Amino acid sequence: MSTEHLLTGQADKALTNLIERHPHCLEGLDEARLERLRQGLACSDFLLSQMLRHPDWLPWLLAQSEQSLADGPWQPPLDEGANESVVQRELRLFRHRYLCALALLGANQDISEQARLAALSKLAEGLIDCARNWAYQDLCQSRGTPRDSEGKAVPLLVLGMGKLGGGELNFSSDIDLIFIYPRSGVTEGGRKEIDNHEFFARLGQRLIALLDAVTTDGFVYRVDMRLRPFGDSGPLVMSFDALEDYYQSQGREWERYAMVKGRLMGGGFGYEEELSQLLRPFVYRRYLDYSAIHSLRDMKRLIEAEVRRRGLKGNIKLGQGGIREVEFLVQVFQLIRGGREPKLRTPSLLAALAMLPGLGVMSEAEAQALAEAYLFLRTSENNLQAINDEQTQTLPDDALNQARLAAMQGFGSFGAFMARLEHHLQLVHSLFREVVSEDNPEDDLPGGLRSLMEADWSVDEVAGSLSEEGLAEPEALATVFVSLKDSLEKRSMGERGRKQLEKLLPQLLLGLKDQPQGVRTLSRLGKLLEQIASRTAYLELLVENPGARAQLIKLMGESAFISDSLTQMPILLDELIDPRHLYAPLALEDYGSELRRFMLRIEPGDLEGQMEALRQFKAAQTLRIAAADVTGVLPLMKVSDHLSILAETLLAACLPLAWQDLVKRHGEPPGLSPEHPGILVVAYGKLGGLELGYSSDLDIVFLTDLGAEQADSETPGPRAITVKEFFFKLVQRLSHWLTARTLSGVLYEIDMRLRPSGASGLLVSTMESFEDYQLNEAWLWEHQALVRARPVLGDSALRERFAGIRLKALGKARDAQALKEEVRAMRQKMHGHLDKSGKGLFDLKQGRGGITDIEFLVQYWLLASAEPALLRYSDNIRQLEALSQSQVIDDATAERLAEIYVALRQQQHRQSLDEGGRLVEDSCFSEERAFVGALWDKTMGEAQ
């Protein structure tokens, strides 16, 4: 069916409907006006729906012309004292009546597109101004008038953005607004004084409700506030000061494009020039700003991603050669040259476009062709929306609406319209490509990921992009991403840093494609980014080093410990640059020399610098150990060796530093020095047993061989103290070097409760008192602890003396049955208090058949045998080997126990690296636990 027949049938149907409802509404109409009405009703269902509700509008509508509408009025007269419901109704009816006039004129091609765009914009501005003024006066009556420090009333300024700001609003469009107030202060004359910000926040909410709320009369405009600083998460209103601070420190490139269109609605109450001066440095650079082209590419990718995600076809706004490309083309030249060319600082696209040939950036013919294409596209857009007052830019796929659009555009068929449309689209896209050439794209980021940083996408929209790019769990990933992006946008950072962040986040998302735990990894990355957001150097390091970025994603995904370490100490990011270095821990014998070299950069006497350097060295070496650990480069036993030697190295570095601190105040003890301090540090527990973990405390005891005479002698300094007091202070000072919390955290937590008499005992024991205690007073559990003790710092003579005391104490003759009963009782007590097994879970350390059972068995065998050859080593594995060699237990049992011990420790170790405790499913290690449990029962004579 032809276009003419379709429209004739539609007009007949609409007129019949109207006459049936209002039989006399057409009386007195001449043929010309009736034909205009028929054409309008044939093309616009919106017009018909309003005529059915308001037939009394018809004479006024048919009397309107382009000229009569040009002069307004643009807001309804409101009776004094009108309440909110009356104001809402008047605003809506006024809007509908004027849109009907524009729909009728458009259907009959009785109005130019420039005039229609101007009328639509003036209408919106008038209604916004009307609503704002009524709401302001109404709120002042109850809350008082907001005033500045000089007592001057402060107004609400409404900045219209987008097409509204440009004076080129759509027929059925959202309106993008930003609410601003010039000065802080408080209200005056209300029931209760309130802050200006609170007043204007309330006013903004009232204004939105007046315009946006859907009543029985519909709505005035859908209000979109997402272009305000910080988007949906930002405050609804901002003062001039807050606005200036935001755009100077956090404004993004796309916001520059948006602000080109900014225009005050209903005037600026005398603040126009001040606001312009405030915004101008952000929007328009003083130099030729060609970086705007790069930003334009990013935004275009965003649009293309939106088109793909929403499956948009035939979209004359967002598709290739569409309205958005024309807007971008003009705006990019405004941003490049607007700093030097004041005449380009206009929100009107057509006005700016007309200036471009004179600047030599475009020929007159190109500018004219672009203007014609833009007006054709905008006419098509407005005609589409006038059909049913719907916000659409998609070409219709049904015959009736295709006929309507073709007729309103002045074509006899939809095919003829499409031919002209295609001509304009090709021309626009060709010009756009010339300006925004991407022959040398900056990187291989998919546009769908890059675009995620260019606007405030919803979780569903982000999930769509992530799904398109093949990322797993797109919904969960999108939730984390949107939350992270929102958080980062609130951070204070400079423009340079924000640009780097906008590059980095999509790069990290792309890197998650190969991660099995992408959601968890992104959450961990988010914590790091929040930590380094204001530190541009770290952002640039990750943007510019794909290798470092890849290592970061990999390690963050595999280890919570590494993630926390990097987050707490971002300086470690430098370690990621060279993977060969990262995954190759130092040789055990090189830790000392490497630390000495590292400390050379710190000035002697710089206490704070030395503390920081020690912590940074530990963190860097621990990261390398952990990286080699999680990737399987180092087996568990080697990991523990490295962590233990690292701790010994740092202890050895801290002792002379603590010594020097005391010498400055008290002088150096006679006959002693930092190299020969006369003190022995003995490690117990995990450090003593060479099983140190990443977060282990250091169990240490301090011994000295001072004689009574030397202990009572005094230091030669200005604040002399006895040598015995010097040693007590030395231990306290060393403890401070280890445990003080600096910017980089603590070096190690220490536990000195294993010293003689525990927490009530002296911090430093003499060898004589230690020997006497171990031989005559120590409990069995203290000898069990001594089994895993070894000296880690001190002279060889002190080490040998300690070794002798240890052998003597552990080699004591013991009653075998009493020993067995005491060990068994201690283990049962620990089971009762420490075993977390239950509810389908097994405690790797304290559960029956677990790590502690193996340790207790080894300690029992060693203490029961009392053979010096068995007591040489302090670690469990070599102790098992010694027991096997001495035939205390057979080889098969020793090998099996060692194998189980390592397996259980490995599991606990892995879980400690990645947010796990020491509990596993009860079904895990069932055979191993059964073996250990049976051996316990056989050895100890009674089940636990």
Side-chain angles (χ1 to χ4, degrees):
M1 189 178 294
S2 69
T3 296
E4 183 179 354
H5 285 116
L6 282 169
L7 294 182
T8 299
Q10 184 63 22
D12 291 342
K13 188 188 302 182
L15 278 174
T16 299
N17 192 354
L18 183 59
I19 293 170
E20 286 178 352
R21 184 80 64 87
H22 306 287
H24 306 292
C25 67
L26 301 183
E27 291 179 357
L29 290 185
D30 58 31
E31 185 175 341
R33 285 188 295 170
L34 181 60
E35 187 56 36
R36 288 183 65 231
L37 179 60
R38 282 178 59 86
Q39 181 69 8
L41 294 175
C43 291
S44 176
D45 294 335
F46 165 71
L47 179 61
L48 174 61
S49 68
Q50 293 299 320
M51 288 298 91
L52 291 173
R53 298 184 67 183
H54 307 286
D56 54 306
W57 289 357
L58 189 55
W60 179 84
L61 290 176
L62 290 170
Q64 298 310 305
S65 65
E66 177 177 319
Q67 184 58 45
S68 66
L69 280 182
D71 300 325
W74 299 113
Q75 47 185 270
L78 298 177
D79 294 335
E80 189 173 347
N83 61 29
E84 186 169 2
S85 61
V86 170
V87 174
Q88 283 187 324
R89 177 173 172 77
E90 290 300 321
L91 291 171
R92 282 152 182 75
L93 295 183
F94 192 88
R95 180 257 190 191
H96 298 335
R97 187 157 63 98
Y98 268 72
L99 286 189
C100 283
L102 289 168
L104 184 60
L105 290 170
N108 286 278
Q109 300 173 60
D110 288 337
I111 188 170
S112 68
E113 190 55 29
Q114 293 99 315
R116 177 160 60 170
L117 293 171
L120 288 166
S121 302
K122 290 176 183 178
L123 174 63
E125 181 175 356
L127 293 174
I128 292 167
D129 188 37
C130 179
R132 183 253 314 270
N133 293 341
W134 180 88
Y136 183 89
Q137 294 300 327
D138 188 66
L139 194 59
C140 284
Q141 290 178 15
S142 60
R143 298 289 179 175
T145 301
R147 298 190 181 278
D148 61 20
S149 59
E150 298 178 355
K152 183 180 178 182
V154 180
L156 175 69
L157 306 186
V158 179
L159 197 61
M161 307 294 285
K163 292 185 174 66
L164 171 61
E168 297 154 357
L169 194 65
N170 300 344
F171 186 94
S172 182
S173 177
D174 294 353
I175 52 173
D176 298 292
L177 304 178
I178 295 176
F179 296 155
I180 316 165
Y181 61 97
R183 303 284 185 269
S184 297
V186 295
T187 59
E188 179 183 289
R191 294 190 299 270
K192 179 183 177 183
E193 181 183 281
I194 62 173
D195 182 83
N196 281 1
H197 183 86
E198 181 181 348
F199 177 92
F200 288 113
R202 292 174 182 268
L203 179 59
Q205 292 167 348
R206 294 278 298 276
L207 177 53
I208 291 171
L210 283 172
L211 298 172
D212 192 90
V214 179
T215 70
T216 54
D217 297 303
F219 59 88
V220 187
Y221 293 102
R222 295 171 291 265
V223 178
D224 191 335
M225 300 295 298
R226 290 178 296 176
L227 291 183
R228 71 185 190 269
F230 300 112
D232 280 337
S233 61
L236 189 62
V237 294
M238 268 194 169
S239 67
F240 275 12
D241 287 345
L243 195 74
E244 182 176 26
D245 180 68
Y246 172 82
Y247 285 122
Q248 283 186 357
S249 63
Q250 303 193 54
R252 292 161 291 181
E253 282 298 314
W254 69 262
E255 289 176 299
R256 290 181 64 204
Y257 277 85
M259 196 55 73
V260 167
K261 294 286 190 182
R263 181 171 62 89
L264 286 170
M265 299 288 99
F269 301 93
Y271 292 97
E272 298 90 340
E273 183 59 27
E274 182 178 351
L275 181 61
S276 176
Q277 292 294 332
L278 184 156
L279 293 173
R280 187 175 299 153
F282 167 65
V283 182
Y284 299 107
R285 306 292 195 250
R286 285 176 293 183
Y287 48 84
L288 294 179
D289 183 19
Y290 288 99
S291 68
I293 295 180
H294 176 73
S295 303
L296 174 60
R297 293 185 189 127
D298 290 342
M299 286 190 284
K300 180 56 181 172
R301 292 189 188 100
L302 175 152
I303 299 303
E304 291 170 347
E306 182 183 4
V307 171
R308 291 193 301 271
R309 180 170 57 255
R310 292 166 55 184
L312 299 178
K313 295 181 180 179
N315 191 290
I316 59 173
K317 176 181 178 182
L318 303 179
Q320 286 192 353
I323 295 167
R324 186 55 54 83
E325 287 193 357
V326 183
E327 293 171 339
F328 280 175
L329 254 178
V330 176
Q331 284 175 292
V332 75
F333 288 118
Q334 287 183 276
L335 291 180
I336 290 173
R337 295 176 173 268
R340 292 188 175 183
E341 301 289 346
K343 58 188 175 183
L344 285 177
R345 301 170 196 165
T346 170
S348 168
L349 181 145
L350 291 170
L353 178 57
M355 303 291 178
L356 296 182
L359 299 174
V361 300
M362 184 179 295
S363 69
E364 289 282 359
E366 288 172 330
Q368 181 63 33
L370 201 57
E372 290 177 3
Y374 178 70
L375 288 171
F376 185 90
L377 291 168
R378 292 305 310 279
T379 304
S380 303
E381 178 186 34
N382 280 325
N383 286 337
L384 277 170
Q385 295 182 1
I387 292 174
N388 203 24
D389 191 18
E390 290 179 344
Q391 188 178 20
T392 181
Q393 291 88 18
T394 302
L395 296 173
D397 53 11
D398 63 289
L400 175 59
N401 284 330
Q402 288 178 347
R404 285 169 159 172
L405 179 58
M408 287 189 281
Q409 295 287 128
F411 292 94
S413 69
F414 187 67
F417 161 76
M418 286 299 297
R420 180 65 61 83
L421 173 64
E422 190 61 35
H423 165 76
H424 288 305
L425 294 176
Q426 289 179 2
L427 180 141
V428 169
H429 191 59
S430 175
L431 290 173
F432 183 82
R433 292 289 295 177
E434 285 182 22
V435 174
V436 193
S437 174
E438 294 190 83
D439 295 334
N440 298 301
E442 181 178 289
D443 52 47
D444 296 327
L445 266 181
L449 293 183
R450 187 195 305 277
S451 67
L452 294 179
M453 297 302 296
E454 301 298 334
D456 296 321
W457 299 108
S458 69
V459 170
D460 288 343
E461 289 171 327
V462 172
S465 279
L466 299 181
S467 179
E468 277 188 12
E469 302 302 338
L471 276 82
E473 300 183 272
E475 294 81 10
L477 205 59
T479 301
V480 175
F481 174 82
V482 170
S483 175
L484 171 60
K485 180 169 174 284
D486 180 59
S487 172
L488 291 172
E489 286 175 348
K490 296 176 184 176
R491 299 274 169 162
S492 177
M493 66 179 79
E495 182 178 353
R496 177 172 152 223
R498 192 167 295 282
K499 286 182 177 179
Q500 295 301 319
L501 189 62
E502 288 173 355
K503 294 178 184 177
L504 178 59
L505 259 179
Q507 290 173 336
L508 293 175
L509 283 175
L510 183 63
L512 294 176
K513 289 184 73 170
D514 300 324
Q515 278 293 314
Q517 295 286 344
V519 176
R520 183 179 70 180
T521 304
L522 183 59
S523 296
R524 293 172 178 174
L525 287 167
K527 293 177 183 177
L528 172 65
L529 292 177
E530 288 174 341
Q531 184 74 8
I532 65 174
S534 61
R535 300 159 84 171
T536 305
Y538 290 133
L539 298 175
E540 289 177 336
L541 181 152
L542 293 173
V543 168
E544 302 300 332
N545 289 274
R549 199 164 60 240
Q551 300 309 319
L552 175 68
I553 293 169
K554 177 181 180 181
L555 294 174
M556 283 280 198
E558 293 187 356
S559 171
F561 170 79
I562 293 178
S563 171
D564 292 342
S565 299
L566 290 167
T567 300
Q568 292 163 12
M569 199 180 295
I571 194 173
L572 296 177
L573 291 171
D574 289 328
E575 300 293 325
L576 304 178
I577 295 175
D578 185 355
R580 295 169 299 177
H581 175 82
L582 174 63
Y583 296 104
L586 295 170
L588 294 176
E589 63 272 15
D590 290 340
Y591 279 102
S593 58
E594 186 67 22
L595 177 57
R596 285 190 291 274
R597 280 194 294 271
F598 191 80
M599 296 297 288
L600 286 175
R601 62 193 180 91
I602 309 299
E603 288 291 329
D606 181 359
L607 176 71
E608 184 178 348
Q610 289 169 330
M611 282 193 167
E612 280 294 314
L614 289 167
R615 283 151 180 77
Q616 290 171 8
F617 180 82
K618 180 204 173 185
Q621 301 310 319
T622 303
L623 176 64
R624 294 173 66 179
I625 296 167
D629 183 2
V630 298
T631 54
V633 174
L634 281 182
L636 171 64
M637 303 302 290
K638 294 293 185 183
V639 168
S640 295
D641 287 347
H642 277 271
L643 292 173
S644 299
I645 297 301
L646 175 60
E648 293 178 39
T649 302
L650 290 163
L651 271 171
C654 287
L655 185 62
L657 292 170
W659 182 280
Q660 294 292 353
D661 286 347
L662 292 179
V663 167
K664 290 176 185 176
R665 300 177 190 174
H666 307 293
E668 192 162 72
L672 300 175
S673 67
E675 295 77 24
H676 302 285
I679 196 167
L680 182 73
V681 182
V682 179
Y684 282 70
K686 292 186 181 299
L687 179 57
L690 288 166
E691 295 175 356
L692 203 66
Y694 292 105
S695 303
S696 297
D697 296 350
L698 304 185
D699 295 297
I700 49 179
V701 169
F702 297 92
L703 303 175
T704 179
D705 63 351
L706 287 177
E709 183 178 347
Q710 187 180 17
D712 290 335
S713 65
E714 291 191 344
T715 60
R719 299 169 60 183
I721 57 175
T722 66
V723 175
K724 180 168 60 177
E725 290 175 312
F726 184 94
F727 273 76
F728 292 153
K729 288 182 179 292
L730 178 63
V731 171
Q732 291 172 331
R733 193 63 188 161
L734 176 60
S735 175
H736 175 74
W737 274 88
L738 293 169
T739 63
R741 184 170 294 279
T742 71
L743 291 174
S744 299
V746 300
L747 195 57
Y748 289 100
E749 297 289 357
I750 62 172
D751 189 337
M752 295 185 286
R753 291 175 297 176
L754 287 175
R755 66 186 185 270
S757 300
S760 62
L762 297 175
L763 289 178
V764 185
S765 300
T766 64
M767 286 291 187
E768 290 80 2
S769 65
F770 180 74
E771 181 175 6
D772 179 67
Y773 181 85
Q774 291 294 338
L775 294 177
N776 301 308
E777 297 181 44
W779 296 84
L780 175 64
W781 67 265
E782 291 180 286
H783 283 174
Q784 287 181 260
L786 192 60
V787 166
R788 292 168 64 81
R790 65 184 179 91
V792 293
L793 183 60
D795 293 342
S796 58
L798 290 173
R799 291 171 183 258
E800 290 175 7
R801 189 166 180 188
F802 169 79
I805 295 171
R806 177 174 176 271
L807 285 176
K808 191 184 295 186
L810 298 181
K812 286 174 56 177
R814 303 174 194 271
D815 180 277
Q817 187 58 36
L819 173 64
K820 183 179 296 185
E821 290 174 358
E822 196 168 348
V823 170
R824 189 170 60 218
M826 175 61 68
R827 187 68 191 106
Q828 287 172 340
K829 184 177 180 180
M830 292 177 69
H831 269 301
H833 289 88
L834 302 176
D835 187 2
K836 304 297 183 184
S837 302
K839 298 182 179 179
L841 297 174
F842 169 66
D843 187 330
L844 288 163
K845 182 176 181 181
Q846 296 293 346
R848 173 172 165 77
I851 292 170
T852 304
D853 277 1
I854 298 174
E855 292 173 343
F856 266 53
L857 281 169
V858 171
Q859 291 159 12
Y860 166 73
W861 286 322
L862 292 172
L863 293 173
S865 68
E867 293 184 21
L870 299 178
L871 300 170
R872 178 182 177 186
Y873 300 110
S874 60
D875 60 285
N876 227 48
I877 297 301
R878 286 186 293 184
Q879 287 169 348
L880 279 170
E881 292 174 355
L883 288 167
S884 171
Q885 291 168 1
S886 297
Q887 299 183 342
V888 174
I889 57 176
D890 60 67
D891 291 348
T893 299
E895 290 175 5
R896 182 62 173 146
L897 276 179
E899 179 184 294
I900 294 171
Y901 186 71
V902 170
L904 295 175
R905 276 198 62 221
Q906 181 77 47
Q907 182 65 35
Q908 184 181 4
H909 180 74
R910 283 276 179 261
Q911 292 184 187
S912 71
L913 269 175
D914 200 26
E915 297 181 339
R918 64 190 199 208
L919 300 178
V920 296
E921 295 292 328
D922 196 46
S923 58
C924 295
F925 302 104
S926 54
E927 292 183 12
E928 291 87 347
R929 290 154 51 195
F931 178 87
V932 175
L935 186 59
W936 176 276
D937 295 343
K938 177 182 176 182
T939 303
M940 305 308 292
E942 183 179 328
Q944 295 175 14

